[in-house]
Amino acid sequence: MTVRFERRGTVGLITLAKPDRHNALAADLVADLLATLDRPEACQAAALVIAGDGPSFCAGADIGDLLDAGWMTPAPSGTTPIGPTPMDVFERLDGHPRPTVAAVHGRALGGGFELSLCCDLVVAAADAVFALPELGLGVVPNTGLARLAQIAGPRHALDLILTRRRIGAEEAAALGLVSRVVPPGNAVDSAVELARAITDGAPPGAIATVKRAVRRAAPLDWTAVRTMLAELPPGEWAEGLGAFRDRRRPDYSEFWRTSDA
């Protein structure tokens, strides 16, 4: 398994456990994470904490799987997409009835950043780094486009998405993207403590109602989010992702000459 589950009292701790790949969202990790979220032990926990093993929280999507598993190729009409994708994880977390807390340390890039955005709260170690580098690969941070704009506002969202710059935990907190900043090495324990404080003395129905009310105030249209992938120019993302896999700089000059976007 590429995902570990353990109980910390009433709190369920879900740990991405592929440290040699910086917990990149490969097909096996995505499938294991979805299965873990559906485990009876996880469903019975009062709250869930999502953490990462090794030097990073999650370094984003696994580019090889992004191409090989067909995640970037829209399924023909009437057919089933090829396996679960990171989007399935994001949507599951976004609609989860239990409080969810991301415990972020090290790198939270691309899909890893989006994973934290889909949790209710984020506890970040002071050494955490957040970024959305997708645009440089010819793709867009689908969930990040909507959720980031809702949390930080459209101008900050455009700044982070268009420049692809990396920000630290303190700046992320100033933008509302992080709930607590804690010393390095304390993210998991602090996130579990926060999750326990939320659920200690509060009933699950009321907590779920609060979550639904907040989400309803700023709804995320998952159908529209998924549609954006189908609208991406295939030549652009093929060049961007291919260049990343081949460890070369992408060449988008042809697309700038021919684009009427």
Side-chain angles (χ1 to χ4, degrees):
M1 289 285 287
T2 63
V3 175
R4 295 195 305 268
F5 178 84
E6 61 181 286
R7 285 291 289 265
R8 296 273 187 99
T10 59
V11 176
L13 174 60
I14 297 174
T15 303
L16 311 184
K18 215 171 178 181
D20 58 320
R21 299 289 296 170
H22 293 271
N23 302 315
L25 297 173
D28 56 350
L29 191 148
V30 166
D32 287 346
L33 182 50
L34 283 169
T36 301
L37 288 169
D38 286 339
R39 284 177 57 171
E41 303 95 318
C43 296
Q44 292 162 7
L48 296 174
V49 169
I50 311 295
D53 191 10
S56 299
F57 171 68
C58 175
D62 185 295
I63 299 301
D65 272 14
L66 196 67
L67 296 170
D68 297 339
W71 290 349
M72 288 300 300
T73 306
S77 178
T79 66
T80 302
I82 304 174
T85 71
M87 191 75 69
D88 296 305
V89 172
F90 302 154
E91 186 171 6
R92 184 76 56 84
L93 272 176
D94 184 67
H96 204 285
R98 298 289 196 247
T100 56
V101 183
V104 179
H105 75 286
R107 290 186 288 178
L109 309 180
F113 191 174
E114 295 184 67
L115 185 64
S116 74
L117 289 171
C118 289
C119 290
D120 299 317
L121 299 172
V122 179
V123 173
D127 63 355
V129 176
F130 300 83
L132 293 170
E134 286 96 328
L135 208 62
L137 302 176
V139 298
V140 298
N142 292 336
T143 310
L145 286 171
R147 184 64 75 216
L148 185 60
Q150 289 172 350
I151 298 173
R155 290 194 185 277
H156 290 306
L158 284 170
D159 177 14
L160 294 178
I161 294 170
L162 294 178
T163 67
R164 289 98 66 194
R165 68 186 182 90
R166 298 188 176 198
I167 61 172
E170 292 291 350
E171 183 174 357
L175 294 174
L177 304 171
V178 163
S179 313
R180 310 274 195 282
V181 178
V182 299
N186 288 11
V188 172
D189 288 343
S190 297
V192 170
E193 182 180 344
L194 176 59
R196 190 175 293 128
I198 292 169
T199 56
D200 184 15
I207 289 174
T209 298
V210 168
K211 288 191 54 166
R212 285 195 300 270
V214 171
R215 289 292 191 251
R216 190 171 294 130
L220 202 160
D221 186 340
W222 286 97
T223 300
V225 169
R226 291 174 183 275
T227 299
M228 279 192 284
L229 263 183
E231 296 174 347
L232 287 172
E236 291 184 6
W237 61 253
E239 169 60 20
L241 296 175
F244 183 89
R245 187 167 60 178
D246 298 340
R247 299 181 183 276
R248 61 177 174 81
R249 183 179 177 83
D251 180 6
Y252 297 124
S253 56
E254 171 190 348
F255 305 107
W256 279 107
R257 288 194 299 269
T258 59
S259 174
D260 58 358

